[in-house]
Structures are given as structure tokens and as C-alpha cells.
Amino acid sequence: SHLSVPGEPVKKDENSRRGNWGNQIEFVLTSVGYAVGLGNVWRFPYLCYRNGGGAFMLPYFIMLVFCGIPLFFLELSFGQFASQGCLGVWKISPMFKGVGYGMMVVSTYIGIYYNVVICIAFYYFFMSMTNLLPWTYCNNPWNTPDCSGVLGSSPRFNASLANATTSLVAAASEVVNRTKRTSPSEEYWKHYVLNISDDIGNFGEVRLPILGCLAVSWFVVFLCLIKGVKSSGKVVYFTATFPYLVLTILFIRGITLDGAINGIKFYLTPQWQKVLDAKVWGDAASQIFYSLGCAWGGLITMASYNKFHNNCFRDSIIISVTNCATSVYAGFVIFSILGFMAHNLNVPVSEVADHGPGLAFVAYPEALTLLPISPLWSLLFFFMLILLGLGTQFCLLETLVTAVVDEIGTDWIIRNKTVVTLSVAVVGFLLGVPLTTQVRLYVIIKMNYFKDVEMMLGFPPPLFFKVCWRFISPLIISFILIFTVIQYKPIKYNNYVYPGWSLAIGFSMALSSVVCIPIYALYKISRSPGATFRERLKFACMADPKWGPALQEHRTGRYAPMASEDTVEARPLKEKEELKDEEKERKDEISLTIQGSNGSTNTHNHPNPSA
């Protein structure tokens, strides 16, 4: 229901059954929140310094132009055209609906993983509400004799000469024997927060404070999605914009510190010889691909709530460029503080640089203890991580909910979408107690889809995008896949090597999303009519009669409703023959590969050629 202001027309959704975004800014902010996540802060800066500093920007932006933006545009236009989630869009070629199920599996894994990370960020956020951050000194019950803090060992000698001497000795011993030192923040993370067991097979106890934070994070996500995109579209005004304010505050705080310039030099100094290294290009491609969130189903889902004629071409460029610019900006925020910490420890920046959870929960929090009013900076940093995580998590959960609701499609389930959201959140919470690994895939289809995009946007996709969709992007994705397999090394955590059975579970999870594709394809072929395998395959690739724009008002041209039999009978014989000829031509167009179909190939839904 909409509140009406006297004298103003009531704003109605174009699609009254599914609903639409309140306005286009909500869609853009949601997509920015989805694309800009934890990887922008904890993965990109580290990749940048590891792969040649400023020289890494060259392959990074080349991959953005040739792979990132084209795939982003493809997914947005796909969801917007059909107004369906990641399962419903495969009416374009039902045999490949397994890709949609694969997207759901991927979103499930990442959703579980992401909310556990958000939950730990919540925990650190609550633990920062204190005068003294608990990972500042080495005098806590969980610390070991190897612990060596930057600020000495006890707050009692804060202003004394003894403390200064301790700091100098700690720093000196750090230089002499770097391997033995463990920081208080690392011990806090390992021995207190995670309470890591000695073996992956030993699950250890469930810690109630962490479990409570997990419940809080899932509850927050559910509340924000209680009315689907209508409620989450309002929340993103804050969750998608506030992280930029926090980044700017931390940036200003960071660059004014001693040693910050060394950290930034370390981050950006170009090493051009590394551009010739294939690994650098592989890292650039995978970072672009994973960071934008292609193939998780979220982009299709978010775009499905757009109005039919929305300019998603413009949106895809705005969102992709914003995402990459955020990564570069976050690098300044991270490395200015790490440079300051290296300056205090009198060690190279490479000694304190880290990535992933190690950066977010060990290196950066320790650096913050060196600042005056450190709890304030810690609160800001973890609040930013929470918001970055939530922005992605909204879309992951909505992807699953929308897929289920669209697939069932009854009036009852559409009215009671909140019940589905709650159910998915509860299941996600229950599955979220153990951590899971990240998995991604991308399968791209090449289509006669260009005419559909032109019908929706009013202009055809630029030639560059057609070339990328057909040739360049698939080649880059193949390169990433081959590169990942070649570069594979057994996973280690510190000195612990994971046993074979745990790696087997990881591979099974990775494959579980991919096997959806051939399994569903074989199922669809077996259920299709036809005397030979070739005929069944041909039918399975045909577009479903329901493929096309969701609303009748947009089903024009080749999607116009078929004329009644009486009208056809009344036509001259010549016109009826033309109709048959055109029908035959269209049937012949069907490709037997993944090259897709244009939505007009099913003879039962043959359009009126005169429309």
C-alpha cells in the first residue's frame, strides 16, 4: 500500500504483482552495496602490493573494461528484461536452468560464510566499546609467553620510562627474531575469539557470545528484508553510503600519521616488470570477476525489480567503476595505517601487510591500538566492515528468496514472501555455525539476445559489448579457470596443513554448484519430446512460451500475443503461407550449443508477424 499526499498522484509499481524499486537510486545503491564488499578492503590492497603496486592497475582496469563491465551489463539486462530471479530467467533456454540452481548454491555458501564474518565484526564492534581495547597488551589470560606488544606489557606503566624501555626492547627483539613474535591482536583472534582447536576434525565448543552475534547479524538482515526490496531499498541509503564516510575519516586520520607515506609508497610504487607475469593478469581478472559478484544470481535478482525500460547500460558502468574506485581508495586507508605501524615497529611494511581475516581482525586492529582514542577508530572500522558485509548479504538472501517465490509463483507465496525470508534466514543461521568456503562459477551464454536488449533500452548493445559477450569475456573466464587449476596449492593456515578429507569436502562444495548444470540439462533432455537425442536436445534448447517481458504491455514485436485462429483463417492464403515460411525459418535458427535462443522459436507461441 502507498501513502498518498493530497494533490499528488499515487505512485504505483509498474509490476504490481512482484513490485519494483521505489526509485532508480535504490537499485544503484543496492547494487553498489552488493558489489562493494569485504574483498575491496581486505583483498584488493594486498593483491595490489603483491603484484607490482601501481603497475597492477593496468591489468586491473583492462580486465574491468573487457570482462567486468560486459558481464555486469549482461546480467543486469537479463534480469531486467524477464523480471524474473535467477531461476525464472532460464525460460530463455530451459536446458540451462541448472545454471540458475548453481547460482543458488553459490549464494547459499557465500551467504553463510559472509554472515559469519559479519558476526565476528559485530563481536569486535561490541568489544571496542571500552576505554582500552582488549588486544592492546599481553597481560591477558589467553596470552602466551611469545606475545610481544607494540605498547609494552602492562597499562600500569603507561607514562613511565619503564614502558618506553619495554617498547624499545620489544621492537629490537622483533627485528632480531621476527619469527617468534606474536602480537596481542593475533593471540586475541586465535586464542580468545576463535579459540582455534588443534585439528579441523575437532570442532571444539560453540562459543555463546559469537553465536549471539551470529543471531544478531541474521536478525538484522531479516529485518532489512522483511518487505523485500521495498524495505531493503530504504536501508541502503545508509548502508551503501556510510562506509564511504568512514573510509574518508580513516583516510584523513591515516595520512596524517608518521610513516603513512611509506605505506602508500609500498602500495603504489610501480614494478613494471611484473606486468609480464601471467599470475598478475590472473589475479587482476579473478579480483574483477569476484568483486563485481557476477554469476552469484544477485545482479539478475536486483535488476528483475527494475522498470522494463530502465537504462541498465548506464547503471552497469556507474556501479562497476564505483566498485573499482572504492578498492583503490580503500588501499590508501589500509596502507597508510600499516605504514604507520611498520614505522613504529621499525620493520618493513611487508612484515605487517596481510589480507583477508588476518588484515581485518589482526593487523589493522593492532595498528589502531597505537592511535590516541583507539576505541573510537576501532568502532568506526568494524562498523564499516559490518555495513560492507550487510550490503552484500541483503542481495545474497534476496536472491534465494526471489528464486523460490518466482519459481512457485502462487498468489499465496507472493503475499507471504516474508515467511520465506524468515525461513531462509533461520536455515542460514543454523548452517552458519561452521564456517564454509567461497565458491564461484560463471557460465555465459551467447544469444540472439541483442534484439531483446534493443527493445528494452531503445538502443542496441554497443558493438564492443557484443564482441566481449561472444569472444573476449568467455576467453578471459576460461583463462581464469585454467590459471586457478595450474596455480592450485594445498591450503594451509599458519603451519597447519589441512588433511585430505577436509580438502575433499571443499572440492565437493566447489563442484556442487557446477554439477547442477549437467544434471538439470540431462533431466530436461530426458523429459523433452522427440524420437532421437538430437530432437530432444533441440526442444530442450527452445525458449519457453512464457519467455519474454513479464508485463503484457511490454510484449510487443515478436513477443506480441498470437492472433486468434479465426483471424488467421480470415487472412489471404498468401499471408498464411508467409506465416508458415517465417515460422520454419525461426525454427531453423535454433542452435544446438549454448548459443541461446531469442525467445521466439517455440511454435506454440509464434508471434504475429504483422504486429
PDB file of all heavy atoms in Angstrom, residues 479-504:
ATOM      1  N   PHE A 479      40.539 -18.550 -19.142  1.00  0.00           N
ATOM      2  CA  PHE A 479      41.904 -18.291 -18.666  1.00  0.00           C
ATOM      3  C   PHE A 479      41.948 -18.340 -17.141  1.00  0.00           C
ATOM      4  O   PHE A 479      42.844 -18.954 -16.552  1.00  0.00           O
ATOM      5  CB  PHE A 479      42.359 -16.926 -19.191  1.00  0.00           C
ATOM      6  CG  PHE A 479      43.572 -16.360 -18.492  1.00  0.00           C
ATOM      7  CD1 PHE A 479      44.812 -16.969 -18.605  1.00  0.00           C
ATOM      8  CD2 PHE A 479      43.467 -15.213 -17.725  1.00  0.00           C
ATOM      9  CE1 PHE A 479      45.922 -16.440 -17.967  1.00  0.00           C
ATOM     10  CE2 PHE A 479      44.567 -14.671 -17.083  1.00  0.00           C
ATOM     11  CZ  PHE A 479      45.794 -15.294 -17.203  1.00  0.00           C
ATOM     12  N   ILE A 480      40.961 -17.710 -16.480  1.00  0.00           N
ATOM     13  CA  ILE A 480      40.929 -17.699 -15.005  1.00  0.00           C
ATOM     14  C   ILE A 480      40.811 -19.129 -14.478  1.00  0.00           C
ATOM     15  O   ILE A 480      41.507 -19.522 -13.543  1.00  0.00           O
ATOM     16  CB  ILE A 480      39.738 -16.864 -14.475  1.00  0.00           C
ATOM     17  CG1 ILE A 480      39.892 -15.390 -14.857  1.00  0.00           C
ATOM     18  CG2 ILE A 480      39.618 -16.980 -12.958  1.00  0.00           C
ATOM     19  CD1 ILE A 480      38.640 -14.567 -14.591  1.00  0.00           C
ATOM     20  N   LEU A 481      39.935 -19.918 -15.099  1.00  0.00           N
ATOM     21  CA  LEU A 481      39.695 -21.288 -14.646  1.00  0.00           C
ATOM     22  C   LEU A 481      40.970 -22.124 -14.774  1.00  0.00           C
ATOM     23  O   LEU A 481      41.391 -22.784 -13.810  1.00  0.00           O
ATOM     24  CB  LEU A 481      38.564 -21.910 -15.471  1.00  0.00           C
ATOM     25  CG  LEU A 481      38.120 -23.314 -15.059  1.00  0.00           C
ATOM     26  CD1 LEU A 481      37.546 -23.300 -13.655  1.00  0.00           C
ATOM     27  CD2 LEU A 481      37.100 -23.869 -16.037  1.00  0.00           C
ATOM     28  N   ILE A 482      41.605 -22.072 -15.951  1.00  0.00           N
ATOM     29  CA  ILE A 482      42.835 -22.840 -16.178  1.00  0.00           C
ATOM     30  C   ILE A 482      43.929 -22.365 -15.234  1.00  0.00           C
ATOM     31  O   ILE A 482      44.629 -23.160 -14.604  1.00  0.00           O
ATOM     32  CB  ILE A 482      43.293 -22.712 -17.657  1.00  0.00           C
ATOM     33  CG1 ILE A 482      42.258 -23.373 -18.579  1.00  0.00           C
ATOM     34  CG2 ILE A 482      44.665 -23.325 -17.859  1.00  0.00           C
ATOM     35  CD1 ILE A 482      42.375 -22.971 -20.035  1.00  0.00           C
ATOM     36  N   PHE A 483      44.051 -21.049 -15.106  1.00  0.00           N
ATOM     37  CA  PHE A 483      45.071 -20.446 -14.254  1.00  0.00           C
ATOM     38  C   PHE A 483      44.895 -20.895 -12.801  1.00  0.00           C
ATOM     39  O   PHE A 483      45.853 -21.232 -12.116  1.00  0.00           O
ATOM     40  CB  PHE A 483      44.960 -18.921 -14.357  1.00  0.00           C
ATOM     41  CG  PHE A 483      45.888 -18.180 -13.449  1.00  0.00           C
ATOM     42  CD1 PHE A 483      47.214 -18.020 -13.783  1.00  0.00           C
ATOM     43  CD2 PHE A 483      45.428 -17.638 -12.255  1.00  0.00           C
ATOM     44  CE1 PHE A 483      48.076 -17.336 -12.938  1.00  0.00           C
ATOM     45  CE2 PHE A 483      46.271 -16.954 -11.418  1.00  0.00           C
ATOM     46  CZ  PHE A 483      47.610 -16.802 -11.759  1.00  0.00           C
ATOM     47  N   THR A 484      43.629 -20.922 -12.319  1.00  0.00           N
ATOM     48  CA  THR A 484      43.347 -21.312 -10.944  1.00  0.00           C
ATOM     49  C   THR A 484      43.754 -22.763 -10.698  1.00  0.00           C
ATOM     50  O   THR A 484      44.330 -23.088  -9.655  1.00  0.00           O
ATOM     51  CB  THR A 484      41.844 -21.135 -10.634  1.00  0.00           C
ATOM     52  OG1 THR A 484      41.465 -19.800 -10.960  1.00  0.00           O
ATOM     53  CG2 THR A 484      41.542 -21.392  -9.169  1.00  0.00           C
ATOM     54  N   VAL A 485      43.470 -23.632 -11.677  1.00  0.00           N
ATOM     55  CA  VAL A 485      43.816 -25.054 -11.532  1.00  0.00           C
ATOM     56  C   VAL A 485      45.336 -25.233 -11.505  1.00  0.00           C
ATOM     57  O   VAL A 485      45.880 -25.946 -10.659  1.00  0.00           O
ATOM     58  CB  VAL A 485      43.193 -25.888 -12.679  1.00  0.00           C
ATOM     59  CG1 VAL A 485      43.713 -27.325 -12.655  1.00  0.00           C
ATOM     60  CG2 VAL A 485      41.674 -25.861 -12.572  1.00  0.00           C
ATOM     61  N   ILE A 486      46.038 -24.543 -12.420  1.00  0.00           N
ATOM     62  CA  ILE A 486      47.506 -24.660 -12.509  1.00  0.00           C
ATOM     63  C   ILE A 486      48.163 -24.151 -11.221  1.00  0.00           C
ATOM     64  O   ILE A 486      49.114 -24.733 -10.713  1.00  0.00           O
ATOM     65  CB  ILE A 486      48.052 -23.886 -13.730  1.00  0.00           C
ATOM     66  CG1 ILE A 486      47.604 -24.583 -15.024  1.00  0.00           C
ATOM     67  CG2 ILE A 486      49.573 -23.782 -13.689  1.00  0.00           C
ATOM     68  CD1 ILE A 486      47.864 -23.772 -16.280  1.00  0.00           C
ATOM     69  N   GLN A 487      47.628 -23.037 -10.690  1.00  0.00           N
ATOM     70  CA  GLN A 487      48.236 -22.389  -9.525  1.00  0.00           C
ATOM     71  C   GLN A 487      47.849 -23.051  -8.205  1.00  0.00           C
ATOM     72  O   GLN A 487      48.293 -22.630  -7.152  1.00  0.00           O
ATOM     73  CB  GLN A 487      47.794 -20.918  -9.462  1.00  0.00           C
ATOM     74  CG  GLN A 487      48.404 -20.048 -10.551  1.00  0.00           C
ATOM     75  CD  GLN A 487      49.851 -19.698 -10.270  1.00  0.00           C
ATOM     76  OE1 GLN A 487      50.232 -19.455  -9.139  1.00  0.00           O
ATOM     77  NE2 GLN A 487      50.679 -19.676 -11.304  1.00  0.00           N
ATOM     78  N   TYR A 488      46.992 -24.083  -8.254  1.00  0.00           N
ATOM     79  CA  TYR A 488      46.470 -24.648  -7.003  1.00  0.00           C
ATOM     80  C   TYR A 488      47.586 -25.176  -6.110  1.00  0.00           C
ATOM     81  O   TYR A 488      48.492 -25.875  -6.545  1.00  0.00           O
ATOM     82  CB  TYR A 488      45.472 -25.788  -7.298  1.00  0.00           C
ATOM     83  CG  TYR A 488      45.050 -26.485  -6.031  1.00  0.00           C
ATOM     84  CD1 TYR A 488      44.134 -25.893  -5.171  1.00  0.00           C
ATOM     85  CD2 TYR A 488      45.606 -27.715  -5.672  1.00  0.00           C
ATOM     86  CE1 TYR A 488      43.767 -26.517  -3.983  1.00  0.00           C
ATOM     87  CE2 TYR A 488      45.255 -28.334  -4.493  1.00  0.00           C
ATOM     88  CZ  TYR A 488      44.331 -27.736  -3.651  1.00  0.00           C
ATOM     89  OH  TYR A 488      43.991 -28.337  -2.476  1.00  0.00           O
ATOM     90  N   LYS A 489      47.504 -24.827  -4.832  1.00  0.00           N
ATOM     91  CA  LYS A 489      48.414 -25.368  -3.817  1.00  0.00           C
ATOM     92  C   LYS A 489      47.559 -25.813  -2.635  1.00  0.00           C
ATOM     93  O   LYS A 489      46.524 -25.205  -2.370  1.00  0.00           O
ATOM     94  CB  LYS A 489      49.396 -24.290  -3.339  1.00  0.00           C
ATOM     95  CG  LYS A 489      50.421 -23.914  -4.389  1.00  0.00           C
ATOM     96  CD  LYS A 489      51.284 -22.756  -3.898  1.00  0.00           C
ATOM     97  CE  LYS A 489      52.224 -22.291  -4.990  1.00  0.00           C
ATOM     98  NZ  LYS A 489      52.884 -21.032  -4.650  1.00  0.00           N
ATOM     99  N   PRO A 490      47.977 -26.852  -1.908  1.00  0.00           N
ATOM    100  CA  PRO A 490      47.202 -27.271  -0.733  1.00  0.00           C
ATOM    101  C   PRO A 490      47.030 -26.115   0.246  1.00  0.00           C
ATOM    102  O   PRO A 490      47.949 -25.327   0.469  1.00  0.00           O
ATOM    103  CB  PRO A 490      48.069 -28.385  -0.126  1.00  0.00           C
ATOM    104  CG  PRO A 490      48.898 -28.882  -1.255  1.00  0.00           C
ATOM    105  CD  PRO A 490      49.145 -27.699  -2.142  1.00  0.00           C
ATOM    106  N   ILE A 491      45.843 -26.031   0.855  1.00  0.00           N
ATOM    107  CA  ILE A 491      45.535 -24.911   1.749  1.00  0.00           C
ATOM    108  C   ILE A 491      46.258 -25.110   3.075  1.00  0.00           C
ATOM    109  O   ILE A 491      46.315 -26.215   3.621  1.00  0.00           O
ATOM    110  CB  ILE A 491      44.014 -24.832   1.992  1.00  0.00           C
ATOM    111  CG1 ILE A 491      43.286 -24.743   0.656  1.00  0.00           C
ATOM    112  CG2 ILE A 491      43.652 -23.652   2.867  1.00  0.00           C
ATOM    113  CD1 ILE A 491      41.805 -24.997   0.756  1.00  0.00           C
ATOM    114  N   LYS A 492      46.820 -24.003   3.595  1.00  0.00           N
ATOM    115  CA  LYS A 492      47.473 -24.040   4.907  1.00  0.00           C
ATOM    116  C   LYS A 492      46.946 -22.896   5.758  1.00  0.00           C
ATOM    117  O   LYS A 492      46.572 -21.859   5.242  1.00  0.00           O
ATOM    118  CB  LYS A 492      48.991 -23.891   4.758  1.00  0.00           C
ATOM    119  CG  LYS A 492      49.647 -25.093   4.145  1.00  0.00           C
ATOM    120  CD  LYS A 492      51.130 -25.193   4.461  1.00  0.00           C
ATOM    121  CE  LYS A 492      51.945 -24.019   3.972  1.00  0.00           C
ATOM    122  NZ  LYS A 492      53.392 -24.232   4.119  1.00  0.00           N
ATOM    123  N   TYR A 493      46.880 -23.089   7.062  1.00  0.00           N
ATOM    124  CA  TYR A 493      46.583 -21.988   7.975  1.00  0.00           C
ATOM    125  C   TYR A 493      47.752 -21.904   8.934  1.00  0.00           C
ATOM    126  O   TYR A 493      47.953 -22.800   9.757  1.00  0.00           O
ATOM    127  CB  TYR A 493      45.280 -22.214   8.746  1.00  0.00           C
ATOM    128  CG  TYR A 493      44.959 -21.068   9.681  1.00  0.00           C
ATOM    129  CD1 TYR A 493      44.365 -19.913   9.191  1.00  0.00           C
ATOM    130  CD2 TYR A 493      45.294 -21.126  11.025  1.00  0.00           C
ATOM    131  CE1 TYR A 493      44.098 -18.852  10.027  1.00  0.00           C
ATOM    132  CE2 TYR A 493      45.023 -20.066  11.868  1.00  0.00           C
ATOM    133  CZ  TYR A 493      44.419 -18.930  11.366  1.00  0.00           C
ATOM    134  OH  TYR A 493      44.167 -17.878  12.196  1.00  0.00           O
ATOM    135  N   ASN A 494      48.539 -20.813   8.818  1.00  0.00           N
ATOM    136  CA  ASN A 494      49.818 -20.716   9.524  1.00  0.00           C
ATOM    137  C   ASN A 494      50.637 -21.951   9.149  1.00  0.00           C
ATOM    138  O   ASN A 494      50.936 -22.156   7.996  1.00  0.00           O
ATOM    139  CB  ASN A 494      49.617 -20.561  11.030  1.00  0.00           C
ATOM    140  CG  ASN A 494      48.986 -19.215  11.355  1.00  0.00           C
ATOM    141  OD1 ASN A 494      48.996 -18.303  10.533  1.00  0.00           O
ATOM    142  ND2 ASN A 494      48.420 -19.101  12.539  1.00  0.00           N
ATOM    143  N   ASN A 495      50.973 -22.827  10.112  1.00  0.00           N
ATOM    144  CA  ASN A 495      51.765 -24.014   9.776  1.00  0.00           C
ATOM    145  C   ASN A 495      50.916 -25.273   9.694  1.00  0.00           C
ATOM    146  O   ASN A 495      51.434 -26.360   9.485  1.00  0.00           O
ATOM    147  CB  ASN A 495      52.873 -24.215  10.832  1.00  0.00           C
ATOM    148  CG  ASN A 495      53.892 -23.091  10.777  1.00  0.00           C
ATOM    149  OD1 ASN A 495      54.223 -22.623   9.698  1.00  0.00           O
ATOM    150  ND2 ASN A 495      54.364 -22.650  11.937  1.00  0.00           N
ATOM    151  N   TYR A 496      49.628 -25.125   9.874  1.00  0.00           N
ATOM    152  CA  TYR A 496      48.734 -26.299   9.860  1.00  0.00           C
ATOM    153  C   TYR A 496      48.317 -26.602   8.424  1.00  0.00           C
ATOM    154  O   TYR A 496      47.768 -25.749   7.735  1.00  0.00           O
ATOM    155  CB  TYR A 496      47.505 -26.017  10.724  1.00  0.00           C
ATOM    156  CG  TYR A 496      46.498 -27.150  10.730  1.00  0.00           C
ATOM    157  CD1 TYR A 496      46.747 -28.315  11.438  1.00  0.00           C
ATOM    158  CD2 TYR A 496      45.305 -27.048  10.004  1.00  0.00           C
ATOM    159  CE1 TYR A 496      45.840 -29.358  11.442  1.00  0.00           C
ATOM    160  CE2 TYR A 496      44.388 -28.087  10.002  1.00  0.00           C
ATOM    161  CZ  TYR A 496      44.657 -29.241  10.722  1.00  0.00           C
ATOM    162  OH  TYR A 496      43.750 -30.260  10.715  1.00  0.00           O
ATOM    163  N   VAL A 497      48.604 -27.827   7.989  1.00  0.00           N
ATOM    164  CA  VAL A 497      48.192 -28.261   6.648  1.00  0.00           C
ATOM    165  C   VAL A 497      46.891 -29.050   6.793  1.00  0.00           C
ATOM    166  O   VAL A 497      46.811 -29.973   7.596  1.00  0.00           O
ATOM    167  CB  VAL A 497      49.276 -29.144   5.989  1.00  0.00           C
ATOM    168  CG1 VAL A 497      48.823 -29.598   4.606  1.00  0.00           C
ATOM    169  CG2 VAL A 497      50.592 -28.383   5.904  1.00  0.00           C
ATOM    170  N   TYR A 498      45.890 -28.677   5.993  1.00  0.00           N
ATOM    171  CA  TYR A 498      44.587 -29.327   6.103  1.00  0.00           C
ATOM    172  C   TYR A 498      44.667 -30.771   5.621  1.00  0.00           C
ATOM    173  O   TYR A 498      45.308 -31.054   4.616  1.00  0.00           O
ATOM    174  CB  TYR A 498      43.535 -28.577   5.288  1.00  0.00           C
ATOM    175  CG  TYR A 498      43.093 -27.304   5.945  1.00  0.00           C
ATOM    176  CD1 TYR A 498      43.813 -26.122   5.794  1.00  0.00           C
ATOM    177  CD2 TYR A 498      41.951 -27.276   6.739  1.00  0.00           C
ATOM    178  CE1 TYR A 498      43.415 -24.950   6.403  1.00  0.00           C
ATOM    179  CE2 TYR A 498      41.545 -26.105   7.359  1.00  0.00           C
ATOM    180  CZ  TYR A 498      42.276 -24.947   7.197  1.00  0.00           C
ATOM    181  OH  TYR A 498      41.883 -23.787   7.812  1.00  0.00           O
ATOM    182  N   PRO A 499      44.011 -31.713   6.338  1.00  0.00           N
ATOM    183  CA  PRO A 499      44.044 -33.121   5.912  1.00  0.00           C
ATOM    184  C   PRO A 499      43.266 -33.331   4.624  1.00  0.00           C
ATOM    185  O   PRO A 499      42.427 -32.515   4.240  1.00  0.00           O
ATOM    186  CB  PRO A 499      43.375 -33.853   7.088  1.00  0.00           C
ATOM    187  CG  PRO A 499      42.541 -32.817   7.774  1.00  0.00           C
ATOM    188  CD  PRO A 499      43.244 -31.505   7.571  1.00  0.00           C
ATOM    189  N   GLY A 500      43.539 -34.477   3.990  1.00  0.00           N
ATOM    190  CA  GLY A 500      42.923 -34.781   2.696  1.00  0.00           C
ATOM    191  C   GLY A 500      41.408 -34.789   2.726  1.00  0.00           C
ATOM    192  O   GLY A 500      40.753 -34.304   1.799  1.00  0.00           O
ATOM    193  N   TRP A 501      40.812 -35.335   3.813  1.00  0.00           N
ATOM    194  CA  TRP A 501      39.342 -35.435   3.853  1.00  0.00           C
ATOM    195  C   TRP A 501      38.683 -34.060   3.873  1.00  0.00           C
ATOM    196  O   TRP A 501      37.622 -33.864   3.296  1.00  0.00           O
ATOM    197  CB  TRP A 501      38.877 -36.280   5.040  1.00  0.00           C
ATOM    198  CG  TRP A 501      39.193 -35.698   6.392  1.00  0.00           C
ATOM    199  CD1 TRP A 501      40.275 -35.979   7.179  1.00  0.00           C
ATOM    200  CD2 TRP A 501      38.417 -34.730   7.114  1.00  0.00           C
ATOM    201  NE1 TRP A 501      40.230 -35.252   8.338  1.00  0.00           N
ATOM    202  CE2 TRP A 501      39.093 -34.468   8.334  1.00  0.00           C
ATOM    203  CE3 TRP A 501      37.219 -34.050   6.867  1.00  0.00           C
ATOM    204  CZ2 TRP A 501      38.620 -33.573   9.286  1.00  0.00           C
ATOM    205  CZ3 TRP A 501      36.749 -33.149   7.812  1.00  0.00           C
ATOM    206  CH2 TRP A 501      37.434 -32.922   9.000  1.00  0.00           C
ATOM    207  N   SER A 502      39.354 -33.081   4.525  1.00  0.00           N
ATOM    208  CA  SER A 502      38.757 -31.738   4.587  1.00  0.00           C
ATOM    209  C   SER A 502      38.849 -31.056   3.216  1.00  0.00           C
ATOM    210  O   SER A 502      37.943 -30.327   2.813  1.00  0.00           O
ATOM    211  CB  SER A 502      39.429 -30.883   5.664  1.00  0.00           C
ATOM    212  OG  SER A 502      40.772 -30.615   5.316  1.00  0.00           O
ATOM    213  N   LEU A 503      39.963 -31.319   2.494  1.00  0.00           N
ATOM    214  CA  LEU A 503      40.084 -30.776   1.135  1.00  0.00           C
ATOM    215  C   LEU A 503      39.041 -31.414   0.214  1.00  0.00           C
ATOM    216  O   LEU A 503      38.479 -30.744  -0.660  1.00  0.00           O
ATOM    217  CB  LEU A 503      41.492 -31.034   0.579  1.00  0.00           C
ATOM    218  CG  LEU A 503      42.649 -30.320   1.295  1.00  0.00           C
ATOM    219  CD1 LEU A 503      43.975 -30.703   0.664  1.00  0.00           C
ATOM    220  CD2 LEU A 503      42.471 -28.808   1.240  1.00  0.00           C
ATOM    221  N   ALA A 504      38.762 -32.709   0.437  1.00  0.00           N
ATOM    222  CA  ALA A 504      37.748 -33.397  -0.374  1.00  0.00           C
ATOM    223  C   ALA A 504      36.374 -32.761  -0.170  1.00  0.00           C
ATOM    224  O   ALA A 504      35.615 -32.579  -1.124  1.00  0.00           O
ATOM    225  CB  ALA A 504      37.702 -34.880  -0.003  1.00  0.00           C
TER     226      ALA A 504
END
